Amino acid sequence: AAVEAGSNGDKAGLKAGDVITAVNSQSVRTPAEFDRELRQGGNKVSLKVVRNKAERELTLERTPDSR
């Protein structure tokens, strides 16, 4: 999926093709698990992603108007 320019994901460093494997150290395998963990994560969440076979950790800062 694309990452919208200027979005919170873009600001966190997410790139198209990244595979999110964990939110705040909680493993996620489905979009529903991702949404649940993101909602419970507060305004700043840690994302573990795999990009080009390498694991990375990113910090996503949520704004009041984000999901």
Side-chain angles (χ1 to χ4, degrees), residues 2-3 8 10-11 13-14 17-20 22 25-26 29-30 32 36 41 44 48 52-53 58-59 62 65-66:
V3 178
N8 292 338
D10 181 43
K11 292 174 186 173
L14 283 171
D18 284 354
V19 177
I20 299 170
S25 301
Q26 294 295 314
R29 292 183 293 275
T30 67
R36 182 188 68 236
K44 189 181 264 190
K48 190 176 289 186
N52 299 325
K53 300 181 184 177
L58 305 174
T59 300
R62 298 176 65 207
D65 60 340
S66 64

Side-chain angles (χ1 to χ4, degrees), residues 23 31-42 45 62 67:
V23 177
E33 289 176 347
F34 170 76
D35 285 341
R36 182 188 68 236
E37 293 301 327
L38 190 62
R39 280 194 308 274
Q40 295 174 359
V45 295
R62 298 176 65 207
R67 298 192 323 143

